[in-house]
Structure formats: structure tokens, C-alpha cells
């Protein structure tokens, strides 16, 4: 049995090395993109302020304001990004196969800060691609040690965003993908929803996801957000120990890092049916 164990260990080591190299290799590209989007966001903030309107939604915080002059007020967390004309409507990198989901329900658990346990359920039938991505990343222990770097405490927009490889909203597993799946037509994301975060492009989904700890409405003018599953237990403790403590310093969109630093310290997943 020893040679088999050694082979398995070697494969796992190669997988970890591959993920590490992918994160590092894309870090510079995503940093440049973040600087570009921040510039667009600054211009958009001036436009929005001049018109005294706001439109807010959840996204990968590299984009933080809207370039739309007709944006309407909402209770969401960040301003609406205008999709870039150069956004690539195609997958990039080695995206896990959508067949992993097997049109099945997957159940598992996320552990935050070693004490907060969230039971989760992923819907492989309604969102096969995103379910496959999360299942694959959890199996490879990608999320262990990553941060929940962004919190919104606005009434009507209560969510925590997790899965940033670098802990600041940047870094991924070497791929981005689309299209969007299972998006609510009314923009409502009920308490306990797990949805994939993204920037302006509908093909910019990667490793980051959000969990709504209160009923949330998100602007859907750029397509909305893939609902991949739900939290079935554990939200009261999340609220008590993390979200109720608020934000350290809020950014221009009203969101910010949780006052209680939050790390994913464990993640498991298994097929249910």
C-alpha cells in the first residue's frame, strides 16, 4: 500500500503546486485590471454624485462605481459597473468541467475562524458550472486559509464575500468563466443564498462567492449573479460573532473588511443525490 499512498501524496502535491502557480501567475494581470477599473470607478462616482442617484450591487470589488447616468437608487451595496466593450465573453484558463456537478445536490460545510460552521447545499442541476467549480475547489482545499474580505451591513444588502486567494479581492485559481446561471429575475437574494461574485463581465466569475445573511436585493442591469446554493444552518452564529460587529473602515460603496478578521478554516463537500 505504501507506493499507492506515495503516488496519491505526489498527485496532491502537484495539484497544490499548480494552484499556487496559477494564483501567482495571474496576480499581476488582475492587479493591472484592478487599477484600470478603479479609474473607471472614480469617473463614475463623479457622474453619479452630480446626478444625485445611486445604483448598487454585489461584485468583485475591483469595480466600485457606475458609469450609468440613469442608475436608480437601491439598497444594495456597491455601485453598478458598466460592462466594458472589451470584456471577453468566453472562458479563460482551465475551467473545471460542468459535468462534475452531475445534476445533483451537494452538501457540505464551511468553517470560519474555527468556530463558525455553515452547512451548505449546492444545486448542481440549476447551476451546473458554478457547482462544479466550487466542488472542485473545495476538494482541492483551495479555500482553506482564504479570507472573507468584504462585508455589507446595509439594510436590504446584507452579505459577506469570501474566496479571495490574496485576501483583498484579488487572486484566483487560474481561470474565469461564464455564463451566468440560475439568476433571480427580480434581483432578490433571500437570506442564506450563496451566489458567485464577479466584476462587470458575465464571464468574470472565478473563486469568489457571497453569502447573504439577510434578505438582499441586487441590481440586475448587468445580468445579476449566479445562485449556486444556500446555507442550511449556522447563520445565527455568523451574525452573532462576525457580521454584527460591523465593518472596520467602509469604502466609497459602503462595504468594507469585517471588523472581525474572517478566514475560511475548513471546507468539505459530498454528493447527496
Amino acid at each position: 500500500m505504501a507506493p499507492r499512498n506515495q503516488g496519491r501524496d505526489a498527485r496532491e502535491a502537484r495539484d497544490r503546486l499548480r494552484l499556487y502557480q496559477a494564483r501567482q501567475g495571474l496576480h499581476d494581470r488582475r492587479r493591472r485590471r484592478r487599477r484600470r477599473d478603479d479609474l473607471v470607478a472614480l469617473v463614475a462616482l463623479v457622474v453619479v454624485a452630480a446626478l444625485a442617484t445611486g445604483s448598487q450591487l454585489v461584485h468583485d470589488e475591483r469595480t466600485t462605481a457606475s458609469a450609468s447616468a440613469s442608475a436608480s437608487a437601491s439598497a444594495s451595496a456597491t455601485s453598478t459597473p458598466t460592462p466594458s466593450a472589451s470584456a471577453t465573453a468566453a472562458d479563460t484558463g482551465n475551467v473545471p468541467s460542468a459535468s462534475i456537478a452531475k445534476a445533483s445536490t451537494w452538501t457540505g460545510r464551511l468553517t470560519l475562524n474555527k468556530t463558525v460552521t455553515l452547512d451548505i447545499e449546492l444545486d448542481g442541476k440549476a447551476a451546473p458550472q458554478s457547482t462544479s467549480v466550487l466542488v472542485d475547489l473545495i476538494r482541492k482545499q483551495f479555500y482553506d486559509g482564504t479570507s472573507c474580505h468584504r462585508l455589507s451591513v446595509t439594510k436590504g444588502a446584507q452579505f459577506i464575500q469570501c474566496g479571495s486567494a490574496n485576501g483583498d479581492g484579488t487572486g484566483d485559481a487560474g481561470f474565469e468563466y461564464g455564463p451566468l446561471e440560475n439568476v433571480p429575475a427580480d434581483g432578490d437574494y433571500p437570506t442564506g443564498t450563496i451566489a458567485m461574485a464577479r466584476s462587470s463581465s458575465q464571464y468574470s466569475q472565478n473563486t469568489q462567492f457571497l453569502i447573504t445573511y439577510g434578505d438582499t436585493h441586487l441590481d440586475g442591469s448587468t445580468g445579476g449573479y449566479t445562485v449556486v446554493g444556500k446555507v442550511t444552518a449556522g447563520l445565527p452564529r455568523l451574525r452573532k460573532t462576525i457580521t454584527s460587529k460591523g465593518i472596520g473602515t467602509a469604502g466609497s460603496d459602503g462595504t468594507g473588511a469585517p471588523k472581525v478578521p474572517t478566514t475560511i478554516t475548513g471546507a468539505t463537500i459530498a454528493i447527496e443525490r
Side-chain angles (χ1 to χ4, degrees):
M1 296 300 293
R4 181 177 298 178
N5 291 336
Q6 291 171 359
R8 182 188 61 194
D9 292 344
R11 287 194 300 273
E12 291 177 351
R14 287 195 297 271
D15 285 340
R16 288 193 296 270
L17 178 61
R18 179 177 60 80
L19 285 174
Y20 173 79
Q21 290 173 333
R23 295 176 192 173
Q24 296 301 108
L26 284 180
H27 181 66
D28 287 342
R29 175 174 64 84
R30 296 179 70 80
R31 187 186 299 276
R32 290 194 296 271
R33 181 185 298 174
R34 187 179 182 183
R35 286 199 297 265
R36 179 202 66 193
D37 290 347
D38 284 347
L39 179 59
V40 173
L42 180 61
V43 174
L45 275 174
V46 174
V47 174
V48 172
L51 295 172
T53 60
S55 178
Q56 303 171 323
L57 81 135
V58 178
H59 62 89
D60 185 342
E61 72 274 17
R62 292 168 299 170
T63 307
T64 58
S66 175
S68 172
S70 61
S72 59
S74 75
S76 304
T78 21
S79 302
T80 306
T82 298
S84 167
S86 61
T88 302
D91 293 344
T92 58
N94 187 21
V95 181
S97 170
S99 66
I100 294 173
K102 298 180 180 178
S104 299
T105 298
W106 295 75
T107 58
R109 174 170 290 181
L110 294 177
T111 304
L112 308 180
N113 293 352
K114 297 183 179 180
T115 61
V116 178
T117 56
L118 302 175
D119 292 340
I120 63 173
E121 182 179 290
L122 305 182
D123 191 341
K125 183 176 182 180
Q129 182 60 79
S130 289
T131 296
S132 295
V133 166
L134 291 185
V135 168
D136 188 62
L137 292 175
I138 291 172
R139 283 173 167 175
K140 293 175 178 176
Q141 300 181 316
F142 174 89
Y143 288 114
D144 293 7
T146 60
S147 298
C148 294
H149 63 282
R150 185 174 183 229
L151 177 64
S152 174
V153 296
T154 305
K155 184 178 180 180
Q158 298 182 323
F159 64 87
I160 188 167
Q161 189 167 328
C162 306
S164 164
N166 296 327
D168 61 357
T170 66
D172 56 33
F175 60 81
E176 291 185 339
Y177 71 95
L180 302 179
E181 308 167 282
N182 195 31
V183 176
D186 58 5
D188 289 337
Y189 298 76
T191 299
T193 297
I194 303 173
M196 301 306 296
R198 65 178 179 87
S199 58
S200 56
S201 170
Q202 295 185 13
Y203 279 76
S204 61
Q205 299 172 115
N206 51 77
T207 67
Q208 294 185 46
F209 58 92
L210 60 97
I211 296 171
T212 61
Y213 63 91
D215 290 346
T216 295
H217 181 84
L218 305 175
D219 182 271
S221 61
T222 64
Y225 302 88
T226 294
V227 173
V228 69
K230 61 185 177 181
V231 174
T232 58
L235 287 177
R237 182 152 182 83
L238 174 66
R239 296 189 193 100
K240 180 179 180 180
T241 63
I242 296 175
T243 63
S244 66
K245 308 303 180 182
I247 296 169
T249 301
S252 59
D253 60 4
T255 71
K259 188 170 289 185
V260 176
T262 304
T263 301
I264 297 177
T265 51
T268 62
I269 198 72
I271 193 168
E272 183 73 15
R273 61 181 181 273

